[in-house]
Amino acid sequence: MDMMLKAKEDIKRRLEYLKTCTIANGKGVTRLPFSEEARKAAEYLKKEMEQAGLEAYIDMVGNVRGFLPADEPDSQVIMMGSHYDTVKEGGEYDGITGVVCAIQVADFVKRSGKKRKYALEIVAFNDEEGMMFGSGCLGSKALTGQVDQNYITSLTDENGISIREWMIKWGSDPDKIEELKLNLENVRAFFEIHIEQGPVLDTTKQEIGIVNCIVGLLRCMVTVEGRADHAGTTPMHMRKDAIEIASKTISKLDEFALEEQNGSVATCGFIRAYPNAMNVIASKCEFTMDIRSPKDISIENMKEKAVDLLEYHTDKVGASYKFDTKLRQKPVYMNQRLIDMLKEKCEKHQYQYREMTSGAAHDAMVFADKVDTVMVFVPSKDGRSHCPQEYSSYADLAKATQIVFETICDMMSEE
Ligand code: HGY
Ligand code: MN
Ligand code: MN
């Protein structure tokens, strides 16, 4: 069997089907957690895992899981996976490529017939993006014991429907969510293949990125409460204009990030005003801040500067604001031994590679401070992602699959 050819064909076949699991609005891929599109993808992934020889099931929080037992019972497990949900109008490769490559690795491990010191568990995680509930990594956090009843009842979508209610719709019993927590001492390692989603590998023409650090991040929703008034008759000094206050913070985010001089980034990707009328001064303005940095202190610096501006401009006119943290994650570091093993495989196959930081968040960051974890990136064409233009090649995905497969094979025969 030509392994690379089979990998490319199987990865292509799976991705071609999975891109149909989307809201059909002709604008990229939208596959939100617990949606019909997610259900269609989950059922398909379960079948693909079964065809690869895994015992597969869909768990109560919507993860799709496939298990290949070790030679001996009660052995530790190597885990591998990524997410199968997407952003709104995203691409065909973010997350899901890591899932189909993981299935491919499991298929090859099974076919190899080699000794299996460890079991192998493949996971297609649900709700990594945080599109509906704001936080993200629901599926991986549930497996690492970071999700409880308060979490699933307090986080709601834009219609006020909680994760708990969505789990019931999914056919689960949310009272049992804490049962998903894994015994992480039993997890030997966690691998994730993912598209880079940025311009580095595409620019340097390297085929593989081996991640050594995933940046820290802060995600929050800010709500500015002002006062609705007539846009024409209200003098400027009498206004409590919620949009004007919000925009004075939003417009400074780029400066805050550049001032850190270490690759920090800050984004406002969502803004909603009330009553959202041309001739009414806004009574309320909601906006998100997504602040990231390889240095945790920089995240705190940027947050502090934003809060100072919000304090100043609301105090000045007698308005108010609320700061609701949705996700706070410190930077995490990958396991150097696994990084070195993957580098050896790249050198063996003469793949051009580099160690690099991930500016994107991933399920791997949820495991990294508890389990030996590593990520492998493939190039993103023109560095584009979270948009329909997202593209990575099947050939690069097959190379990433190959080096992870060979690394896991080495681990499977560890003494
Ligand atoms: O936002 C991120 O970095 C990831 O794509 N969820
Ligand atoms: Mn992703
Ligand atoms: Mn993403």
Side-chain angles (χ1 to χ4, degrees), residues 233-244:
T233 57
T234 312
M236 294 313 284
H237 70 282
M238 288 176 67
R239 296 176 177 220
K240 298 184 183 187
D241 184 338
I243 290 179
E244 199 239 355

Side-chain angles (χ1 to χ4, degrees), residues 208 342 345-346 351 376 399-407:
I208 295 284
L342 288 161
K345 302 304 178 192
C346 286
Y351 296 152
V376 176
K399 289 171 189 166
T401 301
Q402 181 184 39
I403 63 170
V404 170
F405 164 64
E406 291 182 1
T407 300

Side-chain angles (χ1 to χ4, degrees), residues 93 185 226 264 358 388 405:
Y93 299 84
E185 273 151 38
S264 296
S358 172
F405 164 64

Side-chain angles (χ1 to χ4, degrees), residues 82-83 85 93-96 128-129 192 194-195 197 360-363 385-386:
S82 192
H83 60 97
D85 63 304
Y93 299 84
D94 178 2
I96 197 66
E128 182 273 347
E129 296 286 5
E192 182 167 3
H194 202 285
I195 59 173
Q197 300 185 286
H362 299 286
D363 290 301
S385 180
H386 282 186

Side-chain angles (χ1 to χ4, degrees), residues 33-301:
F34 302 117
S35 63
E36 281 315 303
E37 300 77 38
R39 170 66 72 188
K40 184 179 166 191
E43 294 296 349
Y44 174 80
L45 288 168
K46 176 172 174 289
K47 263 210 312 292
E48 283 294 309
M49 289 181 184
E50 285 162 348
Q51 280 169 10
L54 305 173
E55 299 152 22
Y57 65 102
I58 301 170
D59 75 15
M60 67 179 91
V61 77
N63 297 323
V64 188
R65 301 171 63 180
F67 189 77
L68 189 61
D71 293 339
E72 301 299 330
D74 307 327
S75 302
Q76 281 191 304
V77 58
I78 293 174
M79 293 185 72
M80 182 172 179
S82 192
H83 60 97
Y84 71 101
D85 63 304
T86 71
V87 294
K88 291 173 189 160
E89 301 179 8
E92 300 171 13
Y93 299 84
D94 178 2
I96 197 66
T97 47
V99 171
V100 301
C101 289
I103 297 172
Q104 199 65 40
V105 166
D107 182 6
F108 285 161
V109 167
K110 172 107 175 149
R111 284 170 189 270
S112 72
K114 287 186 177 173
K115 177 177 177 240
R116 282 204 301 269
K117 175 179 182 175
Y118 304 112
L120 183 61
E121 177 164 0
I122 306 302
V123 187
F125 293 105
N126 193 19
D127 189 24
E128 182 273 347
E129 296 286 5
M131 275 294 105
M132 281 174 66
F133 311 108
S135 179
C137 293
L138 171 65
S140 43
K141 280 186 202 163
L143 296 193
T144 50
Q146 301 176 63
V147 172
D148 58 14
Q149 293 304 320
N150 175 53
Y151 188 96
I152 62 173
T153 41
S154 59
L155 285 174
T156 60
D157 67 11
E158 58 188 6
N159 303 313
I161 302 174
S162 67
I163 294 174
R164 182 184 170 81
E165 290 162 290
W166 275 105
M167 285 179 67
I168 293 168
K169 283 179 191 226
W170 186 256
S172 307
D173 175 1
D175 291 338
K176 297 189 177 148
I177 189 143
E178 280 103 335
E179 291 175 13
L180 283 179
K181 180 177 178 349
L182 297 169
N183 167 12
L184 294 169
E185 273 151 38
N186 192 40
V187 180
R188 170 69 186 79
F190 179 83
F191 289 80
E192 182 167 3
I193 290 174
H194 202 285
I195 59 173
E196 180 203 331
Q197 300 185 286
V200 174
L201 295 173
D202 190 53
T203 310
T204 59
K205 301 299 172 222
Q206 289 164 311
E207 299 142 297
I208 295 284
I210 302 175
V211 175
N212 50 27
C213 165
I214 301 176
V215 298
L217 76 157
L218 162 66
R219 272 187 193 146
C220 57
M221 176 69 81
V222 179
T223 305
V224 176
E225 299 280 1
R227 190 182 67 195
D229 277 308
H230 194 295
T233 57
T234 312
M236 294 313 284
H237 70 282
M238 288 176 67
R239 296 176 177 220
K240 298 184 183 187
D241 184 338
I243 290 179
E244 199 239 355
I245 292 166
S247 59
K248 285 189 166 148
T249 296
I250 294 168
S251 63
K252 288 286 186 188
L253 289 179
D254 62 339
E255 271 177 49
F256 295 165
L258 294 169
E259 283 159 10
E260 294 303 317
Q261 297 186 333
N262 57 12
S264 296
V265 292
T267 312
C268 169
F270 169 95
I271 187 165
R272 181 164 52 193
Y274 301 82
N276 216 15
M278 185 166 57
N279 57 355
V280 179
I281 296 170
S283 56
K284 184 165 84 167
C285 184
E286 296 168 323
F287 66 93
T288 57
M289 293 198 294
D290 177 312
I291 292 174
R292 309 191 194 197
S293 177
K295 294 270 175 269
D296 207 55
I297 185 64
S298 291
I299 296 172
E300 291 304 315
N301 292 343

